[in-house]
Amino acid sequence: MRFLRMKRGSVMVERVVVAIDGGPASTAALDWALARAKVQPVSLELTTVVEFGWAPAGGPDDDFRPIYERALADATRRVEQEAPDIKKTSYVRRGVPADELVRASASADLLVVGTNKTGVLAGAVYGTLPLRLAAHSRCPVVVVPTVWVPSAGSIAVGLEDDATAEGALAFAAGEASRLGRVLDVVHAWSIPATIAVEYGAIIPFHDLQEAHAAILAEAADRVRTAHPGLDVREVLEHGPAAMVLVDASGEAEMVVVGTHGRGAVGSLFLGSVSHDVLLNLKCPVAVIPRPERLPDYPVEP
């Protein structure tokens, strides 16, 4: 992916695609995007996808394209009323929602989608679609729950000891710096199911804990070096990573996770941590594609 932010004068403008379908999930996504526009210059692309052969609940069985067009028109009017200075475009796409939104992500900095995984079906942007988008998107995906309300909590980033860490750390640090928030670097660890053995002796619990603390400290120091003045907290927890991050999402303004997404099967399941966090999110979650999808993603602020 190229780094796509445009310049307006000397200010970088972020290209944000918002998925619209007229339901509460897409309302939450647009709420979040408009809130972001108050603190970050953005260019909005409002996109709805008409899927052939499928009609939204309660809609007509034959000609339901006008429903999507009205939803898009309503969203466009709302942007004009609440943020008239924002550059915006509106698109009606035809095809499979996940495929069309992934195509849209190729020319975006962010793809924003709502989720209403426990509510009544209200449109296309719900359920497993955010999982599929997060797995395949060419840019970071922000998944916004319908219960979202603006807050000023910390930015929490899940740190795994693998190649997904750098992109997630860079994105989260950039968010925390821009918003003036604390950055919580969260690293969860647990004793493997197969007891670790070295030279015939069981590795002590304390030694395992220290090893993971060192991984966390090294990552936090890299962020501090790249973002001087940023308040970075190291959070080391013993337990399943997904559970730890879901707990963190109760107090955080945003949770940031990376995804593995290797191949058709791997990308479907994202990686167990990202998958489980998205199914239990309490605040917006940003999913950062694997490093090879973001070769030019900036580490420096």
Side-chain angles (χ1 to χ4, degrees), residues 56-178:
D61 294 330
D62 48 1
D63 183 13
F64 55 89
R65 174 170 173 154
I67 294 176
Y68 290 90
E69 293 175 338
R70 285 196 297 272
L72 190 61
D74 289 344
T76 301
R77 281 194 296 270
R78 183 181 169 197
V79 174
E80 291 172 347
Q81 293 169 357
E82 298 185 20
D85 295 331
I86 292 179
K87 179 182 178 181
K88 62 188 176 301
T89 54
S90 301
Y91 288 98
V92 176
R93 300 173 185 267
R94 295 170 176 258
V96 178
D99 294 346
E100 293 304 314
L101 290 171
V102 167
R103 289 189 182 96
S105 75
S107 60
D109 292 311
L110 284 182
L111 173 60
V112 185
V113 58
T115 183
N116 184 21
K117 64 184 180 59
T118 59
V120 177
L121 173 61
V125 185
Y126 83 108
T128 62
L129 180 57
L131 296 176
R132 296 172 64 190
L133 293 177
H136 295 280
S137 176
R138 304 298 297 178
C139 70
V141 177
V142 178
V143 182
V144 184
T146 55
V147 296
W148 175 79
V149 293
S151 68
S154 65
I155 305 298
V157 55
L159 173 67
E160 294 192 68
D161 185 25
D162 60 21
T164 67
E166 292 308 310
L169 282 171
F171 183 91
E175 289 293 293
S177 294
R178 182 177 56 79

Side-chain angles (χ1 to χ4, degrees), residues 271-287:
S272 59
V273 174
S274 302
H275 180 276
D276 291 349
V277 170
L278 283 177
L279 289 178
N280 296 279
L281 73 172
K282 299 177 182 177
C283 71
V285 173
V287 183

Side-chain angles (χ1 to χ4, degrees), residues 16 22 24 29 32 35 56 95 114 121 157 169 172 185 195 201 210-211 232 261 274 285-286 297:
V16 180
W32 187 88
L121 173 61
V157 55
L169 282 171
V185 182
I195 300 297
E210 284 193 342
V232 180
S274 302
V285 173
Y297 199 81

